[in-house]
Each structure stands twice: as C-alpha cells, then as structure tokens.
C-alpha cells in the first residue's frame, strides 16, 4: 500500500507544471471557440490530467536500478486468463463462516491487486462517459486501449530503457482494467444528473466574453514578454558572436525592444501579439483609438514606474549601508518612499484582480484601457 501512496505523492509533486503544459492547448482551443474559458471545463480537464498522471506513475514506479533488472529471473508475462481468481481461491485466507478472517482477506495481496486494477480505470471510464459523451462500447474500447498501453509499457521495459520487463505483462490486468472502465461508465450515468451539463459550462464561459479581467490582460502580457525575451536572447547570442553588434546583449536593449514591441502596434491602431491572442485592443476611456503618445506613456507609467521604484529601493538600501549620517537618512527616506509606492501599486493590482471593473492608476493617468477586440 505504501508503494501506491508514494506513487500518488510523486504525481502530486509533478502535477502543477505538467498539467498546466498539457492543458494549454485545450484552453487555447476553447478560448478561441467560445471567446472565453469555462472554469468547470478547466477543472475537469485538470482532474483528468491528474488522474492520467497518477495512473501512469502507478504502473511504472518505483523505478529499479538497471543492474537489478538485468538479474531478474521472474516471468515476463502471463497469458492465462483468470489467474487472479485461482490465486484468490488458493492463497486468500477468506472463510465466509469465520468473520475474523474477513479483514485479513481484504488486506491480502490476492485481493488488493485485483481491486487496484479495477479501481485504476474507473475514473477513466467515468470521464469518457460524462465529459466526452462516449457510448458504453467506446468506453470499453477506450479503456482496453489504455490498459494495453500500460501493459506494453511494462512489457517493453519502459520503452527499452531496461534490458527486460521489471513488471509482469498480465492478461488479467487487461480484463480487470476494462471492467473498471465499464464500472466507471455506469457510475457516471448515475451521477450525471447532478453534474454541470455542457450547456451550463459553456454558458459560464459566454458570460465572460465581455469581461476584460486582469488574468486575461496578464496572459497577453506574459505572451508578449516571452516573445521579447526569446527574440532578445537570440539577438544577444548574435551580438556575442559579432563584435560590432555587442550592444544587442546589453540590458538596455531589452527594455528598448520591449518598449517598441509593446507601443508600436497600438500607435498604429493594432494590438500586440499577446493582445491578439487574448482578443484585446488598447483604446481611450471613451472607446476611441488611442493617440500616438498614449501607448508610450502607458508603458512608461505602467511598467517603467515599478522598475524605477525597485531600482530606487536597491539604491536606498545601498545608501543605508554607506558611511555618514546624511546618506543613512536619505537612504532610509528613499527606502520608505519606495516601499510605500510599491505597496500602492501592488494594492492596485490586487484590487484589479478581485474587482474586474476597477480602473488601475496608470490607466487613469494615461486615459487608456484594454477592450475586447471585435
């Protein structure tokens, strides 16, 4: 039992990053189809990815040393159906007339192993029926294919990494796993009336179409930031190879390129790549096209102020560490002022995350806002 718990714990540790990466294509597709993302759909996809991650870890972990596997002499496969039934009859201590044997029978390997193989695919069958709306015969077929993939993974010695299989390819596992998917399909049919329907989930996404949330703006900003980081990194490599272009690797060039990348498209009435992905555009507070200077001012105030404040904070800390009462005094004043300004900006961002209609300080100063792109 401890082995299974350790496997699930490993999946929990790896889940956040892997699940995020695997669900990104789905979220992208769903957003462009409905112009919004249903929280219920994201939740169910995350749950499905988490389950598949746990199931896969359960069939490959713990990973032994290759030298240990090379010395194994255990059978590589079992092709005799219903072997688990014969082993249960032969080794399980269950005596129906003796209640004292029931607990030991439930905890015996001849009971736990088949039970886990059935339970392993119950969520898979339930998700195929509820979320993907597959009929019962497709659920059984899909579960069998998943089980076959697991068994071939074991038979191949983790795709050839090990010199031989370190776990048994068992035809009984195919039977038990497929049965688990069928049971999951039945459970889903029972609980579906109390779960959200497709119409309800998509309706919640449609309600967010006109909502320009902070998360949506952050997603667009992250995309633009990543593009700028990739491009400037490549240019920095070029600058390191070509002496005359060494300035391409300087930090000031990154910020200058970021300024042009973020400001140039809105100046000409076009969204940036990140804005285009999340279907946003920059307008005035009245919904009119921005003037040429407003995107530049928005970036300088919205992004330049936090960076300048952080830089001022580091300078103030250095001044406090210097010698002399005057430097210490002005350093302390600068640090307090920087912390106060950062607190105001952080509070402004947090307020915008909670209240979607909040107009941020730098938007009020520049008289600009993010609006839905038609």
């Amino acid at each position: 039992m401890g082995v299974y718990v350790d496997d699930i714990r490993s999946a929990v540790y790896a889940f956040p990053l892997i699940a995020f990466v695997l669900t990104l294509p789905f979220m992208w597709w769903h957003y462009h189809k409905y112009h919004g993302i249903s929280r219920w759909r994201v939740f169910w996809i995350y749950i499905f990815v988490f389950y598949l991650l746990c199931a896969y870890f359960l069939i490959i972990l713990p990973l032994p040393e290759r030298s240990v596997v090379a010395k194994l002499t255990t059978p590589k496969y079992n092709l005799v159906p219903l072997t688990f039934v014969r082993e249960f009859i032969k080794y399980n201590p269950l005596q129906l007339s003796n209640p004292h044997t029931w607990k030991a029978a439930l905890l015996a390997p001849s009971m736990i192993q088949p039970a886990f193989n059935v339970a392993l695919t119950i969520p898979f069958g339930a998700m195929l029926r509820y979320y993907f709306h597959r009929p019962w015969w497709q659920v059984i077929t899909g579960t069998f294919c998943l089980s076959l993939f697991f068994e071939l993974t074991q038979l191949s010695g983790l795709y050839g990494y090990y010199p031989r299989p370190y776990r048994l390819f068992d035809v009984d596992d195919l039977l038990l796993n497929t049965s688990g998917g069928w049971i999951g399909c039945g459970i889903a049919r029972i609980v579906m009336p109390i779960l959200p329907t497709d119409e309800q989930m998509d309706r919640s996404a449609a309600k967010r179409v006109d909502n320009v949330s902070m998360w949506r703006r952050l997603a667009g900003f992250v995309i633009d930031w990543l593009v700028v980081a990739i491009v400037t990194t490549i240019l920095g490599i070029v600058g390191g190879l070509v002496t005359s272009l060494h300035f391409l690797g300087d930090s000031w060039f990154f910020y200058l390129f970021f300024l042009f990348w973020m400001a140039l498209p809105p100046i000409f009435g076009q969204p940036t790549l990140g804005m285009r992905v999340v279907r946003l555009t920059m307008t005035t507070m009245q919904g009119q096209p921005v003037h040429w200077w407003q995107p530049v001012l928005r970036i300088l105030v919205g992004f330049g102020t936090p960076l300048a404040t952080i830089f001022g904070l580091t300078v103030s800390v250095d001044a406090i560490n210097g010698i002399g009462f005057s430097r210490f005094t002005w350093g302390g004043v600068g640090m307090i002022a920087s912390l106060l300004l950062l607190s105001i900006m952080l509070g402004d961002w947090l307020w915008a995350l909670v209240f979607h209609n909040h107009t941020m300080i730098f938007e009020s100063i520049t008289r600009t806002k993010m609006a839905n792109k038609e």
Side-chain angles (χ1 to χ4, degrees):
M1 183 68 71
V3 172
Y4 294 109
V5 174
D6 291 338
D7 293 345
I8 295 176
R9 186 182 295 115
S10 300
V12 172
Y13 293 155
F15 167 69
L17 178 60
I18 297 177
F20 177 74
V21 171
L22 294 179
T23 52
L24 271 179
F26 162 78
M27 296 174 65
W28 185 296
W29 169 82
H30 191 271
Y31 182 82
H32 278 268
K33 181 178 180 180
Y34 297 101
H35 297 178
I37 296 178
S38 167
R39 294 175 182 174
W40 272 112
R41 289 197 179 276
V42 173
F43 169 77
W44 287 120
I45 290 296
Y46 260 70
I47 290 296
F48 192 51
V49 172
F50 176 65
Y51 155 73
L52 290 176
L53 186 62
C54 286
Y56 186 72
F57 277 26
L58 282 169
I59 63 104
I60 68 170
L61 296 180
L63 297 176
E65 297 289 338
R66 297 181 67 182
S67 57
V68 174
V69 175
K71 298 177 183 178
L72 291 177
T73 58
T74 53
K76 297 180 181 180
Y77 49 81
N78 169 45
L79 302 180
V80 181
L82 301 179
T83 299
F84 73 96
V85 176
R86 288 186 288 271
E87 290 184 348
F88 181 87
I89 296 173
K90 183 177 180 180
Y91 297 110
N92 195 278
L94 177 64
Q95 298 178 16
L96 293 178
S97 59
N98 186 0
H100 297 291
T101 64
W102 293 359
K103 181 179 180 181
L106 291 174
L107 299 178
S110 57
M111 180 64 186
I112 290 180
Q113 188 65 37
F116 262 100
N117 281 323
V118 172
L120 182 65
T121 51
I122 288 178
F124 186 76
M127 282 295 293
L128 288 185
R129 183 68 187 96
Y130 163 64
Y131 189 84
F132 298 101
H133 307 291
R134 299 297 94 191
W136 66 268
W137 63 270
Q138 290 186 9
V139 172
I140 292 177
T141 303
T143 308
F144 176 81
C145 291
L146 177 69
S147 177
L148 183 62
F149 166 72
F150 288 161
E151 294 303 309
L152 292 177
T153 297
Q154 295 174 338
L155 183 64
S156 65
L158 202 57
Y159 320 115
Y161 176 76
Y162 290 101
R164 56 150 289 163
Y166 64 94
R167 286 195 174 186
L168 183 70
F169 175 96
D170 197 340
V171 70
D172 282 348
D173 290 350
L174 295 174
L175 176 62
L176 293 169
N177 292 159
T178 305
S179 300
W182 177 70
I183 293 173
C185 178
I187 294 175
R189 290 179 62 87
I190 296 174
V191 301
M192 280 175 65
I194 64 174
L195 295 176
T197 63
D198 282 353
E199 291 74 15
Q200 291 172 330
M201 290 189 285
D202 294 337
R203 194 182 305 126
S204 67
K207 290 180 180 178
R208 297 186 180 90
V209 172
D210 298 327
N211 179 25
V212 183
S213 66
M214 177 57 65
W215 295 110
R216 193 170 161 193
R217 287 186 278 179
L218 281 175
F221 170 74
V222 169
I223 293 172
D224 285 322
W225 183 272
L226 288 176
V227 172
V228 171
I230 293 172
V231 172
T232 53
T233 299
I234 295 174
L235 293 177
I237 295 174
V238 174
L241 298 175
V242 182
T243 306
S244 59
L245 300 177
H246 65 88
F247 64 90
L248 295 177
D250 295 340
S251 58
W252 65 265
F253 180 78
F254 172 85
Y255 295 109
L256 182 62
F257 187 87
F258 180 76
L259 176 63
F260 277 99
W261 178 270
M262 297 292 289
L264 214 56
I267 287 177
F268 294 98
Q270 299 297 322
T272 65
L273 177 62
M275 295 179 192
R276 193 179 299 275
V277 170
V278 296
R279 297 178 180 272
L280 291 178
T281 188
M282 188 185 302
T283 68
T284 64
M285 287 296 183
Q286 293 74 31
Q288 301 299 318
V290 294
H291 300 286
W292 68 266
W293 54 268
Q294 286 179 303
V296 178
L297 183 61
R298 179 185 173 94
I299 294 173
L300 291 177
V301 176
F303 302 112
T305 302
L307 292 175
T309 305
I310 294 174
F311 176 76
L313 181 61
T314 59
V315 172
S316 300
V317 173
D318 291 339
I320 290 177
N321 293 329
I323 300 175
F325 177 77
S326 179
R327 291 189 62 182
F328 180 85
T329 301
W330 286 110
V333 172
M335 186 179 69
I336 294 174
S338 299
L339 289 174
L340 179 61
L341 186 56
L342 284 175
S343 299
I344 294 174
M345 289 186 290
L346 179 61
D348 191 36
W349 279 82
L350 292 176
W351 197 264
L353 287 172
V354 177
F355 300 99
H356 298 159
N357 295 326
H358 172 65
T359 301
M360 300 186 67
I361 295 174
F362 72 89
E363 291 180 322
S364 299
I365 295 174
T366 61
R367 306 305 298 165
T368 59
K369 67 177 184 177
M370 303 305 293
N372 287 298
K373 185 177 183 297
E374 299 296 336

